[in-house]
Amino acid sequence: MTAARTDLAGAVSHLSPELWARANRHLVRKALSEYSHERLLTPAELGDGRYAVTSDDGTVEYRFRAARHALDHWAVDGASITRHRDGAELPLDAIDFHVEMRETVGLSAAVLPVYLEELSSTLSGYAFKYTKEQTPAAVLAKGSFQDIETGMTEGHPCFVASNGRLGFGLHEYFAYAPEAAAPVRLVWVAAHRDVSAFSAGAGLDYESFVRAELGEEAVAGFGRQLAAQGLDLADYHLLPVHPWQWWNKTTVTFAAEIADRRLVLLGEGTDDYLAQQSIRTFFNTSAPEKHYVKTAISVINMGFMRGLSAAYMEATPAINDWLHQLIEGDEVLQSVDFSIIRERAAIGYRNLRFEAATDRYSPYRKMLAALWRESPVGSLKDGERLTTMAALLHVDSEGRSFAGALIEESGLTPAEWLRHYLRAYLVPLLHCFYQYDLAYMPHGENTILVIEGGVVKRAIFKDIAEEIVVMDPDAVLPPAVERIRADIPEDMKLLSVFTDVFDCFFRFLGSVLESEGVCAEDVFWQAVADCGHAYQESMPQLAERFERYDLFAEEFQLSCLNRLQLRNNQQMVDLSDPAAALQLVGTLKNPVAPFARRRAVSS
């Protein structure tokens, strides 16, 4: 925590009337845009690009200007939004907005107050980000990997309550939120081997891995601490814990485990880490080539408690090894230099008392586990740099975009730049789907782009074991990998591309480039279509699958993310049947359909 925020007044200095008003205008704009997209709101046309929506009781009206883009995207002009009641103009307030619209957007009496708390936390996060030096997009786009990670101002592009982080106090926000960019040292505990399990990828073993991560001196020091208590290091696994989790959950929920010496506190590690956008994953800033560490943290954020399952940890390295081998042996994926950063090792702790009292999906089974994921830093060649793909949607305070800055740096036309980007990002997704019935969760935070001279050279996917799914019921999978198989209805399989890629990322990227005047939407979607055609023409042996799962279909189902969170903001998807939980509302016109070349597909 910085010195300026150790005093009471300094801790709330970002909560000024000016910054709070700015944050509220931003969040009301996002709510109008995304709720209109999800057809929760039906804005009335006022003419000349102006629209209005009315509160549940008809007494409050919001007026705004918006451009309508592909995929029914509402590019709402934030500065144009006004709020009216009884002929008077009222200030914008995102909390008031949701109370006024609670029936329209489907907020139940049980969910409403908790959701409002998430909105309040999200607003506070925006206000804090506005106190930071506003880096121009052109400067940020040439910044370091972690400067970009901590320098963005927007969270998930779809979710309105995108930074709830319920459980963090403000002092913990300053310590652990990625935008605070505060160095974090992880808490290390010794976990008795009777109730903990270590798993690792091929070629790794516990002793050598832990010593490489911690260093011989640290491991020896931990051994001496245990010996001083009459305990033997050989009986324990060394396990990193998020500091918040240690203070708020481990010392309470696992108190009996500590008292019985199944868990033994060892102290802080010596490496400094930086929290990533996913909040529970840490990048090692002391030694960037070392592994990321992902930890369990029992805070609610974007519809889930962000724990880690001890049971899932056991198979995690094997799943990553399986996918790595598939990628390494595939000519198409190798031709675009596609890769993943593997989750190489994991430890999970089983609290047997709570396991006896809960089912396997309970958050009480996800409180004490960790995994280590490869760092992409060591894979860089001369002249290459890294960025999270989420940054492509970043727009600075002057309305300039990160993506536009990369295009300008590259010296390429927007269409040429997009061709490189789509070859790196979209081709692997299409090929894995059509060749292997394999889908990822390829949103911006889960994708790292390798940039050279402003041009996207290749894509690296992460967060593998918990996110990938094999949809082929007949696929031959190793026993340890079997859990990634899912029974997905035929008509929903291609939503893994249509929803996760087209609607939840390209919809925003195309709009950002159009709004800035960098690239017309038709040029953007023509580039996407061209990428799809080029891939299909290169794989004539998959023609039957291209017809069965038509990338150029006239329309596809609209799957709504906010509707999930508004319905249940603590567990928005039933993990035992994720497909059944989707909120499907009508259809969207497929923006690549007008560019379809049917003969090319069927020949």
Side-chain angles (χ1 to χ4, degrees):
M1 189 184 302
T2 61
R5 291 183 168 75
T6 55
D7 63 287
L8 290 176
V12 295
S13 60
H14 64 296
L15 300 179
S16 68
E18 297 78 15
L19 296 179
W20 194 248
R22 182 178 170 188
N24 273 277
R25 181 169 292 276
H26 178 84
L27 201 57
V28 170
R29 182 211 61 77
K30 189 173 185 179
L32 287 169
S33 175
E34 289 308 295
Y35 295 162
S36 297
H37 172 71
E38 295 192 10
R39 299 168 189 175
L40 288 161
L41 300 177
T42 307
E45 290 193 47
L46 303 178
D48 193 29
R50 296 191 62 80
Y51 299 87
V53 296
T54 306
S55 62
D56 293 339
D57 63 8
T59 64
V60 180
E61 183 181 61
Y62 290 82
R63 303 170 193 162
F64 58 94
R65 187 179 299 278
R68 303 284 296 276
H69 292 164
L71 292 170
D72 199 20
H73 179 68
W74 291 73
V76 175
D77 177 6
S80 73
I81 305 170
T82 55
R83 176 185 175 212
H84 306 268
R85 182 173 60 208
D86 297 331
E89 184 172 337
L90 305 175
L92 296 184
D93 187 292
I95 303 296
D96 285 349
F97 176 90
H98 284 81
V99 173
E100 293 162 356
M101 303 285 185
R102 60 187 181 275
E103 294 178 9
T104 300
V105 302
L107 279 164
S108 68
V111 172
L112 178 61
V114 185
Y115 191 74
L116 295 182
E117 188 177 1
E118 288 194 89
L119 290 168
S120 185
S121 176
T122 301
L123 288 165
S124 181
Y126 283 130
F128 172 74
K129 291 171 191 175
Y130 297 151
T131 67
K132 299 172 68 177
E133 182 180 354
Q134 301 298 293
T135 306
V139 175
L140 189 64
K142 294 182 179 180
S144 72
F145 186 29
Q146 293 306 297
D147 283 345
I148 294 169
E149 187 78 21
T150 61
M152 296 180 293
T153 54
E154 189 57 76
H156 193 289
C158 298
F159 287 104
V160 176
S162 61
N163 287 313
R165 300 165 182 172
L166 296 188
F168 275 5
L170 192 53
H171 61 302
E172 293 160 329
Y173 172 88
F174 292 133
Y176 307 127
E179 57 268 23
V184 176
R185 291 193 172 180
L186 300 176
V187 174
W188 284 85
V189 300
H192 201 282
R193 294 189 181 217
D194 287 350
V195 284
S196 64
F198 174 83
S199 56
L204 295 179
D205 64 86
Y206 171 77
E207 291 293 338
S208 59
F209 183 82
V210 168
R211 291 177 187 279
E213 282 296 304
L214 280 169
E216 293 286 350
E217 185 177 340
V219 173
F222 288 158
R224 288 192 293 272
Q225 288 187 54
L226 290 170
Q229 301 178 60
L231 304 173
D232 188 347
L233 178 62
D235 294 332
Y236 290 85
H237 290 122
L238 299 179
L239 170 63
V241 182
H242 192 296
W244 185 95
Q245 193 77 351
W246 169 257
W247 287 110
N248 292 277
K249 293 295 179 182
T250 314
T251 55
V252 177
T253 309
F254 292 75
E257 308 298 300
I258 297 170
D260 291 339
R261 294 297 182 262
R262 285 188 290 272
L263 272 180
V264 183
L265 174 65
L266 299 172
E268 288 186 344
T270 57
D271 282 352
D272 286 333
Y273 289 86
L274 197 62
Q276 303 295 279
Q277 288 291 318
S278 61
I279 201 87
R280 56 181 169 167
T281 303
F282 291 96
F283 180 86
N284 192 322
T285 55
S286 295
E289 295 80 12
K290 284 187 180 181
H291 291 75
Y292 290 91
V293 180
K294 185 174 183 178
T295 57
I297 179 169
S298 300
V299 300
I300 294 174
N301 196 46
M302 285 201 311
F304 285 106
M305 187 76 77
R306 296 292 163 173
L308 279 182
S309 164
Y312 265 45
M313 291 305 97
E314 290 190 44
T316 287
I319 292 170
N320 280 260
D321 279 353
W322 171 82
L323 182 57
H324 175 73
Q325 290 171 6
L326 183 151
I327 292 168
E328 289 284 297
D330 187 280
E331 291 184 5
V332 173
L333 299 178
Q334 290 301 298
S335 73
V336 296
D337 212 7
F338 173 66
S339 64
I340 60 171
I341 44 176
R342 289 173 290 177
E343 292 148 353
R344 295 291 280 148
I347 296 181
Y349 187 95
R350 298 178 60 200
N351 189 325
L352 299 180
R353 294 180 177 90
F354 280 91
E355 283 195 11
T358 59
D359 66 33
R360 65 193 180 104
Y361 298 109
S362 170
Y364 283 95
R365 295 194 182 198
K366 302 176 181 179
M367 287 188 174
L368 196 53
L371 65 81
W372 287 267
R373 177 187 294 145
E374 291 173 317
S375 169
V377 171
S379 71
L380 292 180
K381 302 168 187 173
D382 288 345
E384 293 181 340
R385 64 185 194 263
L386 300 168
T387 180
T388 172
M389 193 176 79
L392 294 187
L393 306 184
H394 173 76
V395 177
D396 68 19
S397 58
E398 301 299 319
R400 306 283 292 183
S401 73
F402 186 102
L406 288 180
I407 293 171
E408 184 174 353
E409 180 191 352
S410 74
L412 302 175
T413 67
E416 290 170 335
W417 187 91
L418 286 166
R419 180 169 55 81
H420 288 276
Y421 162 61
L422 293 167
R423 182 175 183 271
Y425 171 65
L426 184 58
V427 168
L429 293 171
L430 295 177
H431 184 65
C432 287
F433 175 83
Y434 285 110
Q435 180 71 53
Y436 302 109
D437 241 352
L438 169 66
Y440 301 82
M441 187 65 71
H443 54 65
E445 196 280 322
N446 269 356
T447 306
I448 296 170
L449 301 178
V450 178
I451 307 292
E452 183 178 16
V455 180
V456 178
K457 306 297 290 185
R458 51 195 171 93
I460 304 169
F461 286 2
K462 63 183 181 68
D463 215 356
I464 298 303
E466 288 194 291
E467 302 282 17
I468 64 170
V469 60
V470 171
M471 298 175 284
D472 179 1
D474 300 318
V476 178
L477 300 175
V481 181
E482 185 63 34
R483 81 150 193 251
I484 68 173
R485 190 196 310 274
D487 184 14
I488 307 295
E490 279 286 295
D491 64 344
M492 296 176 66
K493 286 185 176 181
L494 198 52
L495 287 181
S496 63
V497 174
F498 285 148
T499 297
D500 298 337
V501 181
F502 283 23
D503 192 37
C504 292
F505 198 82
F506 286 174
R507 170 166 65 95
F508 297 94
L509 182 57
S511 178
V512 163
L513 295 175
E514 164 88 14
S515 298
E516 194 184 0
V518 171
C519 175
E521 267 200 303
D522 280 354
V523 174
F524 178 86
W525 288 107
Q526 173 80 67
V528 175
D530 288 347
C531 179
H533 284 306
Y535 169 69
Q536 292 187 350
E537 289 164 4
S538 73
M539 300 292 290
Q541 66 272 32
L542 297 177
E544 185 274 331
R545 286 185 59 80
F546 297 149
E547 291 183 11
R548 188 192 313 174
Y549 308 111
D550 185 5
L551 187 68
F552 297 92
E554 289 297 322
E555 58 185 22
F556 58 84
Q557 296 175 89
L558 169 59
S559 181
C560 301
L561 299 188
N562 281 287
R563 283 178 180 263
L564 292 172
Q565 191 178 13
L566 292 163
R567 180 181 62 182
N568 184 346
N569 63 324
Q570 299 186 55
Q571 184 170 327
M572 64 182 186
V573 173
D574 179 356
L575 298 177
S576 65
D577 190 6
L582 297 181
Q583 290 277 297
L584 302 173
V585 182
T587 61
L588 293 171
K589 292 182 179 179
N590 185 354
V592 301
F595 306 106
R597 301 198 299 266
R598 295 295 175 185
R599 288 183 185 175
V601 175
S602 59
S603 60

